[in-house]
Amino acid sequence: MAQVLEFRLPDLGEGLTEATIVRWLVEVGDVVAVDQTVVEVETAKAMVDVPCPYGGVVTARFGEEGTELPVGEPLLTVAVGAAAAGEGDEGSGNVLVGYGTAAPPARRGRVRPSSVTGAPASRAPATPTGTRTGVSADAGSVVAAANGGRELGRAGGGPAARSGDGDHPVTDGRYGPGRVADDRPVDGDRGGVAVIGDGPVPVISPLVRRLARENGVDLRELEGSGPDGLILRADVEYALRAAATGQVRPAAAEPLRAPAVGHGAVAPIGAPLAQSPHQPLAPLGASPHGTRIPLRGIRGAVADKLSRSRREIPDATCWVDADATELMQARAAMNSADGPKISLLALLARICTAALARHPELNSTVDLEAREVVQLDQVHLGFAAQTERGLVVPVVRDAHARGAESLSAEFARLTEAARTGTLTPRELTGGTFTLNNYGVFGVDGSTPIINHPEAAMLGVGRIVPKPWVHQGELAVRQVVQLSLTFDHRVCDGGTAGGFLRYVADCVEQPAVLLRTL
């Protein structure tokens, strides 16, 4: 008899807690091999191919393309065994960060006995709910899941077992005991149904409870749009949007209910706020018109990082204009010879690493707990790259040890990976200093925000012909504006000014670099 194993979205590393399904590579009924890539997901940092550690027949998929799943949520189920995939398909060792492939001992979930019949309630079948879509093959062949300790019933056998009051679903216990809105354990094991006040509130996910707690949403005022009134993340987000536009009073006479999604449910005529929780609310009265765009994926990650930088780092900015004519001529001379072409970004990076060798204070980070400035020995140079997916900062490892040709090749490789969305988390983290060439956007200057937890960022504007006094005479020269934003905790203005002046001197007279070779 085949055994059905559940494969959940693994820990993708780098502190990532969720991912969006981009493309399924298998269908229900397909036979998959151990370590075969089954889905492509997009995190806040990169596109990731996810391999399945089991070999067998795919019996269900959870989530449609475009669905965002938290780490630990089910991705698919696979029927393994002699009838499904032959021998040696228990699992592999070639997996992503944070999870193993060997099936752990099954955990037992508990539900409280039914107060209606007096008989023990059956365990809840694990079926997709809310925005997680499950597509099942032969429901009768679904037997049990050894990964995660969940037992699977028939995919079409109903959304969940009921608790004694007959109104709220009891979960399978995968999230453990229920928790109240402030995330404290509650009395009794309700299998993930939070008990708040006088009765149970049907909420399973700890993410939903945390979202409600952090935003001051009283879950008792909500009616869930999931099966049997299950409160979903979309319901809490819907309530927040409603409150922001003034459509819901804090002490509403009726609970806020978002229309049910899926399962053929239809909101009754005249129901309050009968608009999809996934759509922006229509403004009322003097509320401003506009479209609400969730801060998710790369945009959300950028927002979080920039906000943290502004919140924690006391930054300051200095800038200077420089005559880049000789630098441009030197690059033209290099590229006129045989061999790989040298990019302007590579020359600027080479100047940066030389300047950091003279002013190592700017290649550092601040340890707040130890109240120490940590000066770093190696320069891992990040550079800002604008892509269709948003702003990313790939990192050139050991930039201080590379020459112009090596830097040019690595910039080209990482830029192409950023364009195609194939950068790995390692290629997007670990930077110690960032070079931001915003001149490609046709602007002269900027005050860049430091890429936390780094201590400084050099900004480079466009290079344009301008009147300039050269050798005592007015001439038209190629002029660029350079700006340095730095963490004032790691150094004073004199150090920052010395760094920027050295960079400007190298731009104006590239031969200055020869002293450091």
Side-chain angles (χ1 to χ4, degrees):
M1 186 174 183
Q3 184 183 34
V4 176
L5 301 181
E6 181 182 84
F7 176 45
R8 302 188 182 192
L9 179 64
D11 180 356
L12 301 174
E14 302 295 341
L16 301 172
T17 59
E18 57 193 10
T20 300
I21 296 174
V22 176
R23 183 165 65 105
W24 281 106
L25 303 178
V26 295
E27 301 287 343
V28 172
D30 286 355
V31 177
V32 296
V34 172
D35 291 336
Q36 176 179 334
T37 299
V38 294
V39 65
E40 293 178 355
V41 300
E42 180 182 33
T43 70
K45 296 182 180 294
M47 298 281 287
V48 179
D49 292 337
V50 180
C52 179
Y54 309 120
V57 178
V58 178
T59 58
R61 297 187 324 193
F62 297 87
E64 297 177 346
E65 293 179 355
T67 302
E68 186 176 77
L69 292 180
V71 168
E73 285 293 295
L75 270 178
L76 50 77
T77 54
V78 179
V80 302
E87 299 179 357
D89 288 328
E90 284 82 3
S92 74
N94 181 24
V95 294
L96 298 174
V97 176
Y99 74 107
T101 56
R107 296 171 295 178
R108 295 184 178 274
R110 294 185 290 119
V111 297
R112 59 193 178 106
S114 170
S115 61
V116 178
T117 63
S122 62
R123 294 191 64 170
T127 57
T129 59
T131 59
R132 191 175 69 221
T133 303
V135 182
S136 178
D138 181 5
S141 67
V142 179
V143 183
N147 182 28
R150 297 177 60 185
E151 292 184 0
L152 303 178
R154 291 182 176 270
R162 292 179 178 273
S163 62
D165 59 12
D167 293 327
H168 302 291
V170 175
T171 70
D172 56 11
R174 59 185 165 134
Y175 291 115
R179 305 182 79 86
V180 295
D182 62 358
D183 212 27
R184 289 179 288 107
V186 299
D187 295 335
D189 185 349
R190 301 287 180 100
V193 177
V195 180
I196 303 178
D198 298 328
V201 175
V203 55
I204 295 176
S205 171
L207 296 177
V208 173
R209 292 196 293 271
R210 184 179 69 183
L211 180 65
R213 180 179 69 251
E214 292 177 350
N215 291 278
V217 175
D218 188 347
L219 293 173
R220 291 170 297 187
E221 297 296 327
L222 304 184
E223 288 190 20
S225 60
D228 295 310
L230 183 68
I231 296 176
L232 309 175
R233 177 177 178 175
D235 299 317
V236 178
E237 293 175 343
Y238 180 66
L240 293 174
R241 290 196 299 268
T245 54
Q247 290 187 243
V248 176
R249 296 186 302 273
E254 298 183 39
L256 175 63
R257 174 174 182 144
V261 180
H263 303 281
V266 178
I269 297 176
L273 298 177
Q275 185 175 356
S276 168
H278 302 286
Q279 299 295 328
L281 293 171
L284 293 179
S287 299
H289 292 268
T291 301
R292 292 179 177 268
I293 302 174
L295 285 174
R296 295 176 180 170
I298 285 185
R299 186 71 261 163
V302 170
D304 292 341
K305 197 154 194 176
L306 296 182
S307 298
R308 184 176 183 181
S309 178
R310 279 293 192 223
R311 184 172 61 250
E312 294 185 8
I313 299 178
D315 59 346
T317 302
C318 53
W319 57 91
V320 66
D321 289 341
D323 179 2
T325 304
E326 290 192 21
L327 180 67
M328 300 300 288
Q329 291 173 349
R331 175 175 176 253
M334 293 178 186
N335 290 337
S336 65
D338 295 335
K341 301 302 180 183
I342 305 300
S343 68
L344 177 61
L345 190 61
L347 295 179
L348 293 171
R350 186 68 188 86
I351 292 172
C352 275
T353 58
L356 289 172
R358 286 174 166 256
H359 303 279
E361 298 92 337
L362 295 169
N363 190 55
S364 61
T365 187
V366 176
D367 186 340
L368 288 177
E369 292 186 2
R371 294 185 62 82
E372 294 175 344
V373 175
V374 182
Q375 292 188 11
L376 305 170
D377 297 329
Q378 298 173 314
V379 178
H380 300 316
L381 187 66
F383 66 99
Q386 190 70 39
T387 71
E388 293 182 356
R389 299 170 61 242
L391 177 68
V392 295
V393 184
V395 176
V396 177
R397 302 269 167 185
D398 298 317
H400 61 288
R402 296 176 182 265
E405 287 188 5
S406 176
L407 288 167
S408 293
E410 187 67 356
F411 280 132
R413 185 187 72 82
L414 292 173
T415 299
E416 177 62 19
R419 186 187 65 81
T420 58
T422 57
L423 288 168
T424 65
R426 185 176 186 275
E427 292 170 333
L428 287 164
T429 55
T432 63
F433 186 92
T434 296
L435 176 60
N436 187 358
N437 181 19
Y438 46 76
V440 297
F441 302 116
V443 298
D444 295 325
S446 174
T447 55
I449 299 176
I450 297 173
N451 187 23
H452 185 279
E454 298 170 12
M457 177 185 292
L458 178 69
V460 182
R462 61 176 180 164
I463 301 176
V464 293
K466 287 185 178 180
W468 190 268
V469 176
H470 176 65
Q471 296 180 349
E473 295 183 358
L474 187 64
V476 176
R477 305 287 285 181
Q478 301 292 319
V479 178
V480 62
Q481 184 179 101
L482 306 170
S483 59
L484 176 71
T485 296
F486 64 99
D487 186 340
H488 226 313
R489 296 173 298 179
V490 305
C491 69
D492 296 326
T495 301
F499 173 93
L500 189 59
R501 186 63 258 171
Y502 180 80
V503 170
D505 289 344
C506 291
V507 167
E508 294 184 340
Q509 301 177 27
V512 173
L513 275 177
L514 295 176
R515 297 176 183 174
T516 64
L517 296 179

